């Protein structure tokens, strides 16, 4: 199905050269190649908007809020068109180990936009509608993706199939917890207690998901060959998953006075929240260290190819640059760990 059709190709002569005009199916090519993770744009815009509101930048927060609504609607239209006109690509991505987790950005984006409606527009009813839609999306995408990758016959090896994108399952789960806790603080009975309990359940569920998936990611880090090019941008979600988990825990702690069972669990909530905060610092330093390692190695490799200077082959020390960089990373990571330990012990 074509929405924009330009017959051709044509050849247009000018005074200098002949220009060949090739017809382009704009809508079709855009829908066919649409990444399921594009809803990450809505996530990022919403986070910046809410942060701007917290810092008193009301105008910026509002502008980003309106922009986020437009982005959300546009991405949904394109996604539905892709599912309707390119179902094979859509469902192939849904069951793919690398592309499948990207669909979970839809869940987090919906929850974050719902949080914007609650905080910026004081539209609690719209927030409840987004909460219901978020829960439906979470159930649908989470169980579909996990079931599909479990029962499919041809599976990649761990080093080819796992990445930081898998932690989007944690981000999606914790985004539901954040929106639930946010609504619980604003709605009265009989929904307040139930929403707080649901937020607590999702928070704990997300924490267990992080332990499972981060264990696999660390196993891939430590026991498989890891080249600079393997450090793809989704590995930064290692930190993002911890950040939103910490936010959900903080929201539950603030809701504790209105929920007796949360108040009874307050020492546990504070302890787990502190663990998440400290672990977030450590994960951030580890990802930053490996990010520096990646780009320095890329620079040395490109310099080797362009100048002929053999950085990676120094006679009896063929891996000297790698050893130097790894030593620097270890020193930086250990220093950050000591800083976080002192901060947590005396903070």
């Amino acid at each position: 199905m074509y929405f924009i059709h330009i017959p051709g190709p044509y050849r247009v002569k000018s005074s200098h050269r002949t220009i060949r005009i090739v017809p382009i199916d704009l809508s079709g090519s855009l829908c066919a190649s649409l990444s399921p993770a594009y809803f990450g744009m809505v996530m990022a815009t919403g986070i910046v908007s809410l942060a701007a509101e917290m810092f008193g930048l009301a105008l910026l927060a509002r502008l980003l809020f309106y922009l986020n609504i437009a982005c959300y609607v546009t991405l949904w239209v394109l996604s539905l068109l892709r599912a309707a006109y390119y179902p094979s690509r859509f469902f192939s991505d849904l069951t793919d180990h690398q592309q499948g987790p990207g669909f979970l950005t839809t869940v987090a984006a919906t929850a974050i936009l719902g949080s914007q409606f609650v905080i910026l527009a004081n539209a609690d009813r719209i927030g409840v509608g987004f909460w219901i839609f978020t829960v439906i999306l979470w159930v649908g995408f989470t169980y579909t993706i996990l079931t599909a990758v479990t029962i499919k016959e041809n599976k990649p090896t761990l080093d080819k199939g796992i990445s930081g994108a898998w932690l989007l399952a944690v981000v999606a789960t914790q985004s539901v917890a954040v929106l639930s806790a946010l609504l619980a603080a604003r709605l009265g009975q009989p929904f307040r207690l139930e929403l707080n309990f649901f937020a607590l359940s999702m928070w704990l569920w997300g924490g267990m998901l992080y332990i499972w998936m981060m264990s696999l990611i660390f196993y891939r880090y430590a026991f498989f060959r890891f080249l600079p090019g393997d450090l793809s941008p989704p590995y930064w979600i290692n930190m993002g998953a911890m950040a939103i988990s910490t936010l959900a825990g903080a929201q539950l702690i603030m809701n504790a006075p209105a929920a007796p069972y949360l108040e009874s669990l307050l020492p546990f909530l504070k302890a787990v929240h502190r663990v998440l905060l400290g672990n977030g610092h450590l994960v951030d330093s580890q990802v930053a260290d490996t990010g520096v390692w990646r780009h320095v190695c890329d620079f040395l490799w490109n310099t080797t190819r362009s100048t002929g200077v053999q950085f990676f082959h120094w006679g009896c020390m063929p891996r000297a640059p790698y050893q130097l960089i790894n030593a620097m990373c270890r020193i930086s990571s250990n220093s950050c760990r000591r800083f976080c330990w002192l901060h947590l012990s005396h903070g």
Side-chain angles (χ1 to χ4, degrees), residues 27 37 68 110 119 124 139 185 194 199 244 253 296 345:
S27 59
N68 219 22
T110 304
I119 295 174
D124 294 345
V139 172
E194 286 76 5
I244 194 170
I253 292 172
V296 170
S345 299

Side-chain angles (χ1 to χ4, degrees), residues 52-336:
E53 176 70 15
M54 292 179 61
F55 282 99
L57 304 174
L59 179 59
L60 177 61
R62 291 281 177 173
L63 291 176
L64 292 176
F65 176 41
Y66 299 140
L67 174 62
N68 219 22
I69 295 174
C71 292
Y72 185 79
V73 173
T74 302
L75 288 172
W76 261 115
V77 170
L78 293 175
S79 298
L80 292 176
L81 289 175
R82 184 172 188 252
Y85 294 107
Y86 301 93
S88 60
R89 293 192 181 187
F90 181 86
F91 290 105
S92 176
D93 286 347
L94 188 62
T95 59
D96 184 75
H97 279 73
Q98 288 289 344
Q99 298 294 329
F103 284 93
L104 295 170
T105 58
T106 310
V107 181
T110 304
I112 291 173
L113 187 57
S115 300
Q116 285 183 280
F117 272 102
V118 172
I119 295 174
L120 299 178
N122 292 318
D124 294 345
R125 291 186 177 181
I126 298 178
V128 171
F130 271 91
W131 177 82
I132 295 173
F133 190 37
T134 301
V135 173
I136 294 173
L137 290 174
W138 180 83
V139 172
F141 281 129
T142 300
Y143 286 98
T144 299
I145 294 170
L146 293 181
T147 302
V149 299
T150 299
I151 65 176
K152 67 185 299 185
E153 294 183 2
N154 298 322
K155 302 180 183 181
T157 56
L158 182 64
D159 59 322
K160 302 298 182 182
I162 196 75
S163 71
W166 276 85
L167 289 171
L168 285 170
V170 178
V171 175
T173 304
Q174 300 293 15
S175 68
V176 178
V178 171
L179 182 56
S180 301
L182 188 62
L183 288 172
R186 301 172 70 95
L187 299 179
Q189 298 296 357
F191 303 108
R192 177 175 295 172
L193 291 177
E194 286 76 5
L195 282 173
N196 275 317
F197 179 77
F198 184 73
L200 174 64
S201 301
M202 296 299 288
W203 183 56
L204 296 176
W205 173 274
M208 286 305 302
L209 276 177
Y210 186 86
I211 293 173
W212 296 346
M213 294 184 179
M214 196 61 198
S215 299
L216 292 174
I217 291 174
F218 178 78
Y219 181 69
R220 188 263 178 272
Y221 272 163
F223 296 99
F224 290 85
R225 188 182 183 189
F226 198 74
L227 298 176
D230 295 331
L231 192 67
S232 56
Y235 277 110
W236 280 99
I237 304 174
N238 298 4
M239 178 55 194
M242 276 289 91
I244 194 170
S245 299
T246 305
L247 175 62
Q251 190 68 47
L252 287 170
I253 292 172
M254 290 190 293
N255 288 2
Y261 56 88
L262 285 183
E263 195 167 14
S264 66
L265 294 174
L266 199 55
F268 169 77
L269 296 177
K270 290 183 177 180
V272 175
H273 176 265
R274 199 68 172 181
V275 169
L276 295 174
L277 181 62
N279 188 61
H281 287 298
L282 296 180
V283 172
D284 190 24
S285 66
Q286 189 265 340
V287 175
D289 286 345
T290 51
V292 172
W293 165 76
R294 173 197 177 186
H295 291 292
V296 170
C297 286
D298 282 347
F299 169 76
L300 293 176
W301 175 248
N302 291 331
T303 305
T304 298
R305 291 195 302 172
S306 60
T307 64
V309 179
Q310 299 297 319
F311 285 99
F312 294 99
H313 301 281
W314 286 357
C316 63
M317 293 188 299
R319 295 185 60 83
Y322 276 110
Q323 293 170 356
L324 176 62
I325 295 166
N326 289 333
M328 293 170 60
C329 290
R330 286 196 297 271
I331 293 172
S332 175
S333 181
N334 290 334
S335 299
C336 185

